[in-house]
Amino acid sequence: MKNGMISPIYMDLRVVISYPSLMNEVSSLIYQHVQAQKLKFDCVCGVPYAAQPLATIICSRHDLPMLVRRKEAKDYGANCMVDGKYREGETCLIIEDLVTTGSSILETAEVLYKEGLKVTDAIVLVDREQGGVAMLASKGIRLHPVISMFKLLDVLLAAKRIDAQTAGDIRTFILANNTFSVPRSSDDENGNGSPVAKKSRKEQNQQLSYGARAKLPNIHPLASKLLRIMEEKQSNLCVSADVTSCEELLQLADSLGPKICLLKTHVDILQDFTLDFTQTLKALAEKHNFLIFEDRKFADIGNTVKHQYEGGIYQIASWSHIVNAHAVPGPGVVKGLSAVGQPLDRGCLLIAQMSTQGSMATGEYTQSVLKLAEEQADFVFGFICGSKISKRPEFIHMTPGVQIQAGGDGLGQQYTSPEEVICNKGSDVIIVGRGILGASDRVEATESYRKSGWEAYTKRLGQTGQ
C-alpha cells in the first residue's frame, strides 16, 4: 500500500478506466451520493490520478466546473498547480476512488487552499475504514464514502467471492490498524494544518475528541448530539437513577441534570408510574441539556420488542432517547426496535459486556455483538461494555459499575474507577448509580464523578488542564 502497510486486501481501482461501462456506472454512483448528501460546492477536483477520469465524467454529464490539480508545476507558462477557472473563496468538492489514511485528499486540499479555495467535503468510492474519515474530520473536511470496507466484505461474502475466514481476517486487520492519531492541537483552520507525522505507539492509541467525533460524516445523529452535549458540559457522566418513585426520580433529574450528559432509568421499578411523569422528565432533559436512556435490555423477537417499545403502559419510544438490547435474539431484535425508533430519531446500544462477575457476555459473543452493530449502524450507535471493543470513532462505549473506590458488592457487581474506565479501558461514558445515590450529598457526589470522569478523558487525550 501507499503508506507502506502490508495488508491482506489490496484494491486497484485504477484499472476501472479500461472498462468504459463500469467507469460510467461508478461515476453515476458517486454523483448520486453527492446528491443524497446535499453537498454544496462551486467546482470539482479529482485526486490525481485515478479519480480524475471519474471527476471528468461527472462534471461533463452534469455541467459542473472542473479543476485539475497538478502533481508538479509546469516549468513554462503560468507555472500554476491548479488548472481551470475559479475565484478565490469558492468551495471545491474533492473526489477520490479509495481512502486509507486520507493523506491524498489532504494533499489535494492543501494545494487548493493555496489558490484561495475552500474545501469542506470530499467523496470517495471506497473507504477502507482505517482512519481516513477521522483524520480528515480533524482537518475540517467531511468525507462521504459511497461504500465502506466492512459493507463491501459483506457483499463479497454474500456473493461467495470470499469465505468467512478471509472476511474475518480482513476485519481483524482493519480494526487493529487504524492509521490516525490525534494531533496535540486539532483546532487548525482549513489549510493551516500539515500532514500527520508518524506517531509513537503511545500517541497512536489516542482518540479523537468528543467534539471532533460529533462532526464525523457517518455518525448517528443521536450519537453526534450526545457527544456535543458531553463536550459542551464537560461531562461524560451518566447517572443511573435506580429509584422507585417518580417524585424522587424527577428530583434527581432536576438537581443533577446540569452535571450529567445522560440520565439512565429503569421505568419498570417505578411504583407510581404515569405518562404525565414522562412529560415532566422530557421537559427537565430539555431544560438541563441531557439525554434519557431507558435501561430496558430488550431481548425478544422483533415483533415482540416492537410492541414493548412503542406500546404498553410505558410507551418507552415516546420519551426515551436511547434504549439498549441484548444481541442474543439476533438481528430481529434490532430491526423490531428500529422500526419504531428510527422515525422518532431514537438510537440503541447493544449490550456487549456486563459488569457482573461470571458474565457470559465475553469473547466470541462480544465479537458477534460488534458485527451486529456494524450491520445495523443506522440505529445502533454504541455499546454497553466494560472496555472499548470497536476502533470506529462513530461508536460510543458506555461502562456501568463505576465507583471512585473500585471493588464489588455481595451480589456479583464489580466496580471500576472512572480513570480505569475512561483512560485505560478506552470507554466514553461512565455510568454511576450507587456511588451517587448512596451519598449523603448527591449533588456534591455527582460533581465529584463528573470531574473525575472528565479529568480521565483529558488525560487520555493528552490534554490535561483542558
Side-chain angles (χ1 to χ4, degrees):
M1 295 173 60
K2 177 182 175 181
N3 65 353
M5 188 179 294
I6 305 299
S7 169
I9 183 169
Y10 176 71
M11 302 178 65
D12 185 1
L13 297 178
R14 290 169 294 187
V15 299
V16 171
I17 60 173
S18 297
Y19 301 89
S21 61
L22 179 59
M23 188 161 64
N24 285 328
E25 187 173 352
V26 168
S27 300
S28 295
L29 285 171
I30 292 174
Y31 186 69
Q32 287 169 18
H33 202 60
V34 170
Q35 290 183 305
Q37 298 297 316
K38 298 180 180 180
L39 303 183
K40 304 294 184 183
F41 54 93
D42 302 299
C43 51
V44 175
C45 181
V47 175
Y49 293 104
Q52 287 180 336
L54 300 173
T56 300
I57 292 173
I58 290 168
C59 291
S60 178
R61 280 184 177 175
H62 303 285
D63 197 25
L64 301 171
M66 177 178 164
L67 305 179
V68 174
R69 174 213 155 190
R70 292 179 171 274
K71 283 201 169 184
E72 60 282 321
K74 297 183 293 185
D75 56 5
Y76 58 91
N79 195 34
C80 60
M81 292 294 291
V82 178
D83 291 333
K85 190 73 173 177
Y86 53 88
R87 294 188 181 92
E88 186 174 341
E90 288 185 331
T91 299
C92 185
L93 172 68
I94 294 178
I95 292 178
E96 177 63 300
D97 63 334
L98 179 73
V99 160
T100 302
T101 67
S103 61
S104 294
I105 288 177
L106 184 60
E107 289 167 6
T108 296
E110 288 176 337
V111 171
L112 297 171
Y113 296 150
K114 291 178 182 177
E115 300 297 322
L117 292 160
K118 299 177 182 178
V119 176
T120 58
D121 297 273
I123 192 156
V124 63
L125 180 61
V126 180
D127 171 28
R128 287 182 57 104
E129 298 187 273
Q130 289 182 252
V133 169
M135 189 281 279
L136 291 169
S138 75
K139 300 294 183 181
I141 301 173
R142 296 181 292 267
L143 181 63
H144 307 271
V146 175
I147 190 168
S148 66
M149 180 62 78
F150 279 17
K151 289 287 186 183
L152 184 57
L153 290 175
D154 289 340
V155 171
L156 293 173
L157 193 58
K160 298 183 179 180
R161 302 301 296 269
I162 59 175
D163 58 27
Q165 179 64 49
T166 300
D169 290 345
I170 294 170
R171 289 179 191 274
T172 299
F173 172 84
I174 288 172
L175 290 171
N177 288 276
N178 189 292
T179 63
F180 177 66
S181 57
V182 182
R184 286 290 177 179
S185 173
S186 56
D187 297 328
D188 292 338
E189 297 294 329
N190 279 355
N192 292 337
S194 58
V196 179
K198 186 174 182 181
K199 306 288 184 178
S200 68
R201 182 172 297 274
K202 180 179 179 181
E203 289 176 308
Q204 287 173 356
N205 289 331
Q206 291 180 331
Q207 303 295 312
L208 277 173
S209 70
Y210 295 145
R213 288 166 63 187
K215 298 175 184 177
L216 293 173
N218 295 320
I219 195 165
H220 190 285
L222 197 58
S224 178
K225 182 176 182 178
L226 175 58
L227 289 165
R228 291 196 305 270
I229 290 172
M230 291 160 67
E231 189 81 20
E232 290 167 11
K233 299 179 76 173
Q234 294 194 355
S235 175
N236 49 19
L237 172 62
C238 169
V239 168
S240 183
D242 297 338
V243 295
T244 58
S245 79
C246 291
E247 182 181 3
E248 185 177 4
L249 199 155
L250 293 174
Q251 288 175 348
L252 286 172
D254 199 18
S255 61
L256 309 185
K259 300 179 182 298
I260 64 177
C261 62
L262 278 168
L263 184 72
K264 185 170 77 71
T265 60
H266 275 124
V267 70
D268 53 0
I269 69 173
L270 291 172
Q271 297 174 352
D272 54 350
F273 174 85
T274 65
L275 286 177
D276 287 341
F277 153 78
T278 65
Q279 295 304 310
T280 306
L281 182 60
K282 284 168 63 178
L284 289 172
E286 185 73 22
K287 173 184 176 182
H288 295 304
N289 194 26
F290 64 81
L291 299 184
I292 304 167
F293 166 26
E294 167 54 27
D295 190 6
R296 178 60 178 78
K297 297 185 178 73
F298 291 99
D300 215 316
I301 62 172
N303 187 59
T304 299
V305 300
K306 180 175 180 291
H307 290 297
Q308 290 172 330
Y309 190 21
E310 69 179 340
I313 62 173
Y314 299 122
Q315 299 182 23
I316 295 169
S318 70
W319 53 270
S320 181
H321 302 98
I322 302 166
V323 292
N324 57 358
H326 286 291
V328 174
V333 67
V334 178
K335 291 177 181 178
L337 294 172
S338 178
V340 176
Q342 263 199 288
L344 299 173
D345 298 322
R346 305 308 194 201
C348 180
L349 304 169
L350 290 182
I351 300 165
Q353 298 165 332
M354 297 186 73
S355 56
T356 51
Q357 188 175 17
S359 167
M360 292 180 283
T362 59
E364 290 184 8
Y365 177 82
T366 299
Q367 289 304 307
S368 296
V369 172
L370 175 58
K371 186 175 185 297
L372 179 59
E374 290 163 350
E375 293 169 348
Q376 305 289 336
D378 55 348
F379 187 59
V380 176
F381 70 89
F383 309 96
I384 299 297
C385 51
S387 60
K388 182 177 179 180
I389 65 169
S390 172
K391 291 191 176 182
R392 293 179 63 176
E394 293 89 351
F395 282 131
I396 296 178
H397 298 74
M398 303 189 190
T399 299
V402 177
Q403 282 199 7
I404 289 177
Q405 296 296 325
D409 66 8
L411 298 175
Q413 175 69 288
Q414 300 297 300
Y415 293 114
T416 311
S417 70
E419 181 170 353
E420 177 67 16
V421 167
I422 299 294
C423 192
N424 299 334
K425 294 191 174 183
S427 195
D428 298 307
V429 175
I430 56 173
I431 302 176
V432 182
R434 280 174 273 185
I436 289 173
L437 299 186
S440 57
D441 187 330
R442 290 174 170 177
V443 174
E444 183 180 323
T446 300
E447 172 59 19
S448 178
Y449 275 99
R450 185 208 65 80
K451 184 177 178 182
S452 295
W454 194 257
E455 286 177 350
Y457 161 68
T458 56
K459 180 179 179 181
R460 186 176 81 189
L461 288 182
Q463 298 172 342
T464 50
Q466 181 174 302

